[in-house]
Amino acid sequence: MKTQAIAAKTGVGAVELAVTDRERALRFYRDYVGLTPLESEGPEIRLGAGGRELVVLYPDADRPVVPKTSGLYHLAIVVPDRRELARVVARLGKLRWDQYPTDHVMTKANYLWDPDGNGIEIYTETPEDGTMGFANGTFFAQDKDGRPRSGRDPIDLEKLFLHLREDDDLDKAMPAGTKMGHIHLHVADVEDALRFYHDLVGFDVMGHVPGVGFVSAGGYHHHVGLNTWAGQGAPPAPPGAAGLRRYTIELPAQRDLDDVASRLEHGDVRMTEEAGGLAAADPSANRVLFRVAETKP
């Protein structure tokens, strides 16, 4: 029987992380990444852009990210245009933070890690430049003229920085329109993960090669990436380690949440009511909160 597809307007919401040092993490996500602190009623640090919550930090970890475990590979924040990506890259360069600007053709992306080892991607969509995807059991990329590309070349920074103006403030926070584009997870087994995210949750499989799977809603290149690069059978992180606490899948309406809940229930997945939604764990113990997206006035 064909799996019912998740609602096309489904997206990724806030990502919650454990970190070891409150003030250091706040400075990093505010001054380096460019997020804006939001009001919080508890010890957690809530940050976002344009009033949209994107990252929640819990400063209760007693050690950095533990390698070779399941959990976060990276969270991926998408900014509205090349100018905003250029601002981020230039700011991180000024602050001398390690970063890896990468040309994926249909996106321009920058990779970095926070002080605890949580992975971050900041990117902008550039489909006018070409495409990248899966074909014949592997990755492929080509430019707008059909010429093959690696999809992993360094970004032409000289060209990217042309989008900045001479008087641009590099310390300006990420603007309204910035959102969480996708999340990429370390999993113990990609086949098991796809059974959860495709067969039960209802995402479409956008690509699947050995050790990697991409799933999405509405034809997007990927909302959730899955890989076994931490090792086949990688265990969950030990208690007290920095890393992923939970991430959010936002559905457009209550009926869409109900549909997902019904499929998970039929798949014998345990759910709990949390934060105005339903939380579950994937087969690698990555926790996900399903809830209806808040509507902006």
Side-chain angles (χ1 to χ4, degrees):
M1 186 173 73
K2 187 179 185 298
T3 300
Q4 180 184 346
I6 200 167
K9 293 185 178 180
T10 299
V12 180
V15 176
E16 302 174 44
L17 304 173
V19 296
T20 58
D21 186 306
R22 178 187 176 86
E23 293 308 314
R24 182 178 68 173
L26 173 59
R27 285 194 304 272
F28 177 78
Y29 282 91
R30 180 191 61 203
D31 301 342
Y32 287 63
V33 175
L35 297 177
T36 300
L38 305 174
E39 185 177 347
S40 177
E41 297 179 355
E44 70 275 8
I45 304 166
R46 299 183 179 275
L47 303 112
R52 181 198 297 264
E53 184 176 272
L54 297 177
V55 176
V56 182
L57 305 174
Y58 292 87
D60 56 4
D62 57 25
R63 67 181 109 172
V65 170
V66 174
K68 305 299 181 184
T69 58
S70 61
L72 183 72
Y73 178 54
H74 62 240
L75 59 84
I77 298 168
V78 57
V79 294
D81 52 39
R82 298 178 201 238
R83 180 185 177 196
E84 294 304 328
L85 180 63
R87 193 190 312 276
V88 171
V89 174
R91 178 171 62 244
L92 290 166
K94 181 185 73 170
L95 295 169
R96 298 183 180 277
W97 194 263
D98 284 347
Q99 59 180 325
Y100 300 88
T102 305
D103 188 349
H104 293 316
V105 190
M106 69 179 184
T107 68
K108 302 293 179 284
N110 193 25
Y111 295 93
L112 59 151
W113 286 262
D114 79 4
D116 286 305
N118 290 302
I120 300 167
E121 177 184 352
I122 301 167
Y123 71 108
T124 193
E125 308 281 1
T126 56
E128 65 275 12
D129 286 357
T131 189
M132 183 177 181
F134 297 83
N136 301 319
T138 188
F139 293 99
F140 83 96
Q142 63 183 30
D143 67 17
K144 61 184 178 182
D145 298 317
R147 292 174 295 204
R149 294 280 300 278
S150 76
R152 301 176 183 85
D153 292 327
I155 289 176
D156 183 338
L157 293 182
E158 185 175 347
K159 186 176 180 181
L160 181 67
F161 290 153
L162 291 176
H163 293 275
L164 290 172
R165 303 167 189 165
E166 286 188 12
D167 61 347
D168 258 334
D169 179 5
L170 297 185
D171 297 326
K172 184 178 179 182
M174 288 179 167
T178 300
K179 61 183 180 179
M180 193 64 66
H182 63 270
I183 190 166
H184 199 148
L185 302 171
H186 289 299
V187 297
D189 184 273
V190 170
E191 299 289 347
D192 286 346
L194 286 174
R195 279 190 285 273
F196 178 84
Y197 287 103
H198 171 60
D199 297 357
L200 298 181
V201 175
F203 281 116
D204 297 321
V205 178
M206 303 304 290
H208 179 205
V209 299
V212 179
F214 282 180
V215 300
S216 83
Y220 192 58
H221 46 77
H222 65 302
H223 284 114
V224 183
L226 310 160
N227 73 66
T228 54
W229 298 334
Q232 182 71 23
L244 182 66
R245 289 271 296 253
R246 187 175 66 183
Y247 76 95
T248 309
I249 296 295
E250 295 184 333
L251 296 124
Q254 183 63 44
R255 65 179 178 275
D256 304 312
L257 176 60
D258 293 342
D259 287 343
V260 171
S262 176
R263 291 194 294 273
L264 291 172
E265 185 177 18
H266 282 101
D268 294 323
V269 175
R270 181 175 176 270
M271 292 171 283
T272 57
E273 293 186 7
E274 297 178 20
L278 294 172
D282 75 11
S284 300
N286 296 309
R287 289 189 58 75
V288 52
L289 174 68
F290 299 94
R291 69 180 177 195
V292 178
E294 293 182 8
T295 55
K296 299 281 183 180

